[in-house]
């Protein structure tokens, strides 16, 4: 279904990157003459191409005209840059609390469902240290590529210093943090943020396209119960869960309160309700 490709004309450095990525992700390489450039009459052996260019990595869906155009991660322009500049107003920043919310401290946040990293980047832009987990390797590769470009850009380099990406399942990592009360580098976990995949529609066409591609790759999250339970065990201050506006609470567990936007809702589970019964100081 998925292959790694590169842009035309095929430059040796770009081809080398594509080949390295294909080995990393255990995917075949499909060169342009066999795939993207001739897709009208192509054998359509692949539904998705992860295309490498000198400007970074993008994901293209070949067999669905409604999803035309590439998905790539770019924190330096467009909607991401706008959101970053507006971050104090963002509901997510308020839901997480700390610096962005009340002029208080920077927090250690685990984003256990990293996706394309939009929400993580916003939280890091608000001053928090964010450790992202993304278990789908192709999604993680797109995110790593976007972060690398942002780290080299003068407007976003400083934000990237507060972001760490781990490719893998967040659940065992959160469970290990419960044991020690700390992340890999000894820091406490203040907040765990969850944005599990859901089938409902979101309004923006861009988000819709990205979500549909994510859904193709990552499928729907199979065990939100485990994710929420391990998050509630690991976080010392709060767990924040993003939900569609009218969706039921994740695993039907009632939050302490919710912050409601036009299309999404953030359910906040405060420290005093967490199963470890640690003192809430947020
Ligand atoms: C809706 S997307 C998140 C979008 C993200 N908030 C953003 O701003 O781009 C959900 C992502 O969580 C990932 N995911 C789900 N369960 C996970 C887990 N247990 N550990 C790591 N990643 C997980 C999926 O692979 C998917 O990419």
């Amino acid at each position: 279904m998925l292959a790694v490709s590169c842009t035309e004309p095929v430059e040796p450095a770009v081809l080398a990157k594509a080949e390295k990525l294909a080995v990393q992700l255990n995917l075949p390489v499909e060169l342009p003459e066999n795939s993207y450039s001739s897709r009208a009459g192509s054998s359509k052996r692949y539904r998705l191409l992860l295309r490498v260019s000198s400007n970074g990595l993008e994901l293209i869906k070949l067999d669905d005209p409604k999803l035309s155009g590439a998905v790539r991660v770019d924190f330096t322009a467009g909607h991401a840059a706008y959101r970053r500049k507006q971050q104090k107003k963002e509901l997510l920043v308020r839901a997480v609390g700390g610096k962005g919310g009340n002029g208080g401290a920077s927090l250690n946040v685990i984003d256990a469902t990293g996706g394309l990293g939009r929400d993580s980047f916003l939280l890091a832009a608000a001053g928090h240290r964010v450790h992202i987990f993304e278990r789908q390797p192709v999604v993680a590769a797109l995110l790593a590529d976007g972060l690398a470009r942002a780290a080299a850009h003068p407007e976003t380099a400083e934000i990237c210093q507060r972001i760490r990406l781990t490719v893998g399942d967040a659940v065992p990592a959160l469970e290990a943090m419960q044991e020690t009360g700390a992340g890999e580098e000894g820091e406490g976990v203040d907040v765990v943020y969850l944005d599990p995949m859901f089938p409902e529609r979101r309004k923006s066409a861009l988000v819709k396209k990205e979500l549909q591609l994510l859904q193709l790759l990552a499928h729907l999250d199979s065990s939100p119960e485990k994710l929420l339970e391990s998050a509630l065990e690991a976080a010392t201050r709060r767990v924040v869960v993003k939900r569609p506006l009218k969706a039921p609470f994740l695993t039907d567990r009632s939050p302490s309160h919710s912050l409601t936007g036009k299309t999404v809702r953030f359910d906040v589970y405060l420290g005093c309700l967490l199963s470890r019964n640690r003192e809430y100081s947020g």
Side-chain angles (χ1 to χ4, degrees):
M1 165 173 135
L2 174 65
V4 177
S5 185
C6 49
T7 43
E8 289 178 284
V10 179
E11 293 163 20
V14 171
L15 179 60
K17 265 193 197 167
E19 286 173 340
K20 192 172 164 203
L21 190 66
V23 171
Q24 251 174 32
L25 298 173
N26 198 17
L27 291 172
V29 176
E30 181 81 348
L31 291 179
E33 57 271 26
N34 301 322
S35 55
Y36 186 69
S37 62
S38 59
R39 66 183 177 179
S42 81
S43 58
K44 292 192 177 158
R45 281 194 292 161
Y46 299 105
R47 292 175 72 194
L48 292 167
L49 284 184
L50 191 57
R51 191 168 59 172
V52 181
S53 78
S54 50
N55 295 323
L57 201 57
E58 55 192 16
L59 185 67
I60 303 159
K61 191 162 186 302
L62 296 176
D63 61 358
D64 185 348
K66 283 193 210 132
L67 290 181
S68 63
V71 166
R72 76 198 289 266
V73 177
D74 188 355
F75 296 116
T76 62
H79 188 63
Y82 173 78
R83 267 185 92 188
R84 195 173 71 243
K85 283 170 189 154
Q86 296 285 310
Q87 42 99 352
K88 287 231 165 76
K89 292 187 201 155
E90 286 277 350
L91 271 191
L92 169 61
V93 174
R94 284 172 43 206
V96 162
K99 190 174 185 172
N102 306 314
S106 297
L107 302 173
N108 291 324
V109 179
I110 302 275
D111 181 349
T113 54
L116 297 177
R118 288 169 183 274
D119 292 332
S120 276
F121 203 83
L122 187 68
L123 292 173
H128 302 306
R129 291 171 294 278
V130 185
H131 187 169
I132 309 176
F133 287 84
E134 173 51 54
R135 70 178 173 191
Q136 211 299 327
V138 174
V139 177
L142 287 163
L143 175 54
D145 171 69
L147 287 172
R149 277 181 282 107
H153 191 286
E155 270 191 37
T156 45
E158 187 261 339
I159 297 171
C160 291
Q161 288 173 6
R162 289 190 290 279
I163 300 179
R164 192 149 55 103
L165 170 64
T166 296
V167 185
D169 192 334
V171 172
L174 287 169
E175 285 170 353
M177 287 168 203
Q178 294 160 29
E179 302 295 317
T180 57
E184 273 167 36
E185 292 178 359
E187 76 285 9
V189 178
D190 297 309
V191 179
V192 179
Y193 173 62
L194 305 177
D195 176 14
M197 201 85 81
F198 42 79
E200 288 85 345
R201 293 162 72 103
R202 289 193 197 174
K203 281 192 177 152
S204 140
L206 175 71
V207 171
K208 209 173 125 193
K209 180 176 75 176
E210 289 185 354
L211 261 181
Q212 286 185 23
L213 283 172
L214 278 183
Q215 282 173 357
L216 260 180
L217 286 171
H219 311 292
L220 297 181
D221 299 329
S222 48
S223 56
E225 294 83 8
K226 270 194 171 173
L227 204 51
L228 183 57
E229 280 313 312
S230 57
L232 290 168
E233 290 281 342
T236 55
R237 288 187 179 224
R238 60 179 70 186
V239 173
V240 176
V241 182
K242 189 190 219 173
R243 300 292 288 152
L245 192 57
K246 297 202 169 135
F249 300 130
L250 194 64
T251 73
D252 286 330
R253 187 169 178 136
S254 302
S256 314
H257 64 270
S258 299
L259 273 72
T260 303
K262 279 189 195 151
T263 57
V264 295
R265 191 183 78 225
F266 293 98
D267 293 337
V268 180
Y269 300 80
L270 289 178
C272 54
L273 294 184
L274 303 188
S275 40
R276 267 195 168 189
N277 206 20
R278 296 185 187 112
E279 193 183 336
Y280 168 60
S281 52

